[in-house]
Amino acid sequence: MRIGGLQKLTLIDYPGKIAAVVFMQGCNFRCRYCHNPELVVPEKYCPTVPEEEVMAFLRTRQDYLEGVVVTGGEPTVQEGLISFLDKLKRLGYLVKLDTNGSRPDVLKQLFSLRLVNYVAMDVKATLSRYDEVTNVRGSGVKIEESIRTIIESGVPHEFRTTVVKAFHPVEDLLEIRSLVAGARQYNLQKARIDGKILDKGLLAREQYSDAEFERLKEIVSGAMEPAYHW
Ligand code: SF4
């Protein structure tokens, strides 16, 4: 297990729960807008936190924290994830997993072992444009399988897309919405485009204004017809 960080308290990352966040180091994608190079690019890795230190902290917070958010990087590429989640469950914690959906085989295992109480998956783009966003060839191949696995698991879940104007015209967001049909939740979040992102080339590209983004959210939630021209 490579743990890149521990946030001792969050009230917003696990819906309705008081939680801690464990950041895994390592990812099989290289999303152009990624804001966590220290968890993704080996040359920029931050110092790791020993697993025992994380467990020792969590043992002292069992009466106060309800859950642990396991995020990345990408948790499903970690050797030892099952045993780590099992330890969290044995301490009585609810587990929320954030994933990029590249490893449906791991998700199936985690669900069958009942190690996850909530899952949030990022859907990066339409399937035909996946590699353009992730910068990894073949990255979209297993995405549909992960989406179906999550929806059919019965585990509470949400899907989300981080929106960048260069990759996400309204038609594409509607296509992604169809891809996650049957999901309990599909949310959009506006990408933070600043000097920390992986692909600095995006800094020069036009971004959605806040007003445009609000309109996009209304369209994708079905509250507005997609007649607006961008
Ligand atoms: S945004 Fe992309 S590259 Fe960054 S951690 Fe998530 S999946 Fe990996």
Side-chain angles (χ1 to χ4, degrees):
M1 291 283 292
R2 291 189 64 90
I3 298 176
L6 169 67
Q7 184 181 327
K8 294 182 172 174
L9 177 67
T10 176
L11 303 177
I12 57 172
D13 294 292
Y14 193 146
K17 305 290 177 202
I18 301 169
V21 186
V22 179
F23 297 88
M24 298 297 175
Q25 195 174 65
C27 187
N28 50 353
F29 287 179
R30 293 289 182 274
C31 304
R32 296 178 189 278
Y33 55 72
C34 180
H35 227 260
N36 295 310
E38 71 283 1
L39 298 172
V40 170
V41 183
E43 304 79 60
K44 297 185 176 173
Y45 275 174
C46 53
T48 54
V49 182
E51 182 180 326
E52 190 38 51
E53 197 176 309
V54 172
M55 298 312 294
F57 167 76
L58 291 173
R59 276 193 289 271
T60 65
R61 293 297 191 280
Q62 281 166 282
D63 291 340
Y64 177 60
L65 296 174
E66 300 170 279
V68 178
V69 178
V70 179
T71 189
E74 173 51 35
T76 64
V77 301
Q78 294 283 335
E79 299 280 342
L81 181 66
I82 287 180
S83 131
F84 181 67
L85 298 191
D86 188 55
K87 287 178 201 164
L88 298 181
K89 300 298 293 176
R90 283 171 195 275
L91 289 181
Y93 285 111
L94 297 168
V95 171
K96 173 177 179 258
L97 178 77
D98 289 344
T99 181
N100 64 19
S102 58
R103 302 281 310 274
D105 49 330
V106 176
L107 293 177
K108 284 173 194 167
Q109 244 184 320
L110 298 178
F111 293 154
S112 73
L113 294 168
R114 300 183 182 280
L115 292 175
V116 174
N117 301 96
Y118 191 104
V119 58
M121 175 178 157
D122 289 329
V123 184
K124 306 289 182 186
T126 57
L127 296 180
S128 62
R129 295 188 74 178
Y130 235 79
D131 299 359
E132 195 185 332
V133 174
T134 63
N135 219 5
V136 171
R137 193 173 300 169
S139 59
V141 172
K142 297 198 169 165
I143 293 304
E144 220 169 343
E145 186 182 345
S146 287
I147 291 171
R148 295 325 329 156
T149 298
I150 289 171
I151 291 174
E152 287 161 16
S153 69
V155 173
H157 59 263
E158 67 184 76
F159 295 91
R160 58 196 179 200
T161 298
T162 302
V163 177
V164 177
K165 190 166 189 171
F167 305 131
H168 303 107
V170 65
E171 299 78 14
D172 284 29
L173 293 171
L174 292 170
E175 191 177 324
I176 299 170
R177 190 180 69 176
S178 301
L179 201 60
V180 302
R184 296 189 188 183
Q185 262 195 76
Y186 175 51
N187 301 318
L188 303 183
Q189 63 184 17
K190 195 173 167 200
R192 248 193 309 161
I193 303 296
D194 59 25
K196 212 185 161 199
I197 56 174
L198 286 188
D199 179 3
K200 305 286 187 286
L202 281 182
L203 292 168
R205 307 284 293 272
E206 191 189 344
Q207 309 300 330
Y208 283 124
S209 68
D210 288 345
E212 284 176 325
F213 182 66
E214 287 309 310
R215 219 169 279 131
L216 266 184
K217 284 203 293 188
E218 286 174 24
I219 292 170
V220 172
S221 73
M224 203 182 201
E225 287 303 308
Y228 186 87
H229 295 289
W230 301 95

